[in-house]
Amino acid sequence: DGESDWDVQEGRLGATANRFPSKRPLEINSVVRTRSVAAQAEAGSVGIPLVITSGFRSYALQESLFNAAVEKYGSEAQASKWVLPADISHHPWGMALDINYPNDPVSTKWLEINGYKYGLCRAYENEWWHFEGTAVPGQSCPARLPDASTTVEE
């Protein structure tokens, strides 16, 4: 675990909770990327695979995913429990990661338990796969929201 301690001490993981950029990016946020690579390395050292199955999404892709979810769930309110509109989702900002979705919640549990070391936190009770850089590395993660629709209400 010495490497993760070094990352935090040297500030490579960022010394604060990650902040949103001022304009929409074209890729995953560099701090989120660095944190995820460090977590993947530690998890891999104990035989746990952590695969980013979705990270940065273009605004258009997020909009398309939300529209498909509205079709599937029957309303924007129901869809928002699982997929947020592009204006609200953190994926088009490069600030969210889906890990091992949809097939490996067991390995992803490792990140839920250890993600705080890297400032990566599970965001929603109903989505075992969705993580964001919402904590200061090494400190406790904030309480999870029940589902993504809570983000719409804030």
Side-chain angles (χ1 to χ4, degrees), residues 53-135:
T53 51
S54 184
F56 171 79
R57 297 179 192 151
S58 70
Y59 189 91
L61 175 57
Q62 187 68 31
E63 196 170 64
S64 175
L65 291 171
F66 179 69
N67 290 337
V70 170
E71 180 95 11
K72 178 179 179 178
Y73 295 107
S75 71
E76 288 187 1
Q78 289 302 308
S80 291
K81 291 180 179 179
W82 301 98
V83 180
L84 288 172
D87 288 337
I88 300 167
S89 173
H90 294 174
H91 282 283
W93 288 100
M95 302 292 281
L97 302 171
D98 292 346
I99 305 293
N100 295 346
Y101 180 79
N103 296 319
D104 195 0
V106 174
S107 292
T108 307
K109 186 74 172 174
W110 183 94
L111 187 58
E112 182 180 328
I113 293 166
N114 294 285
Y116 78 94
K117 297 176 189 178
Y118 307 95
L120 295 173
C121 302
R122 184 174 150 198
Y124 308 119
E125 285 292 337
N126 70 325
E127 294 186 7
W128 54 263
W129 58 87
H130 184 96
F131 290 81
E132 299 186 11
T134 54

Side-chain angles (χ1 to χ4, degrees), residues 136-147:
V136 174
Q139 294 186 7
S140 297
C141 287
R144 288 193 290 267
L145 299 173
D147 59 55

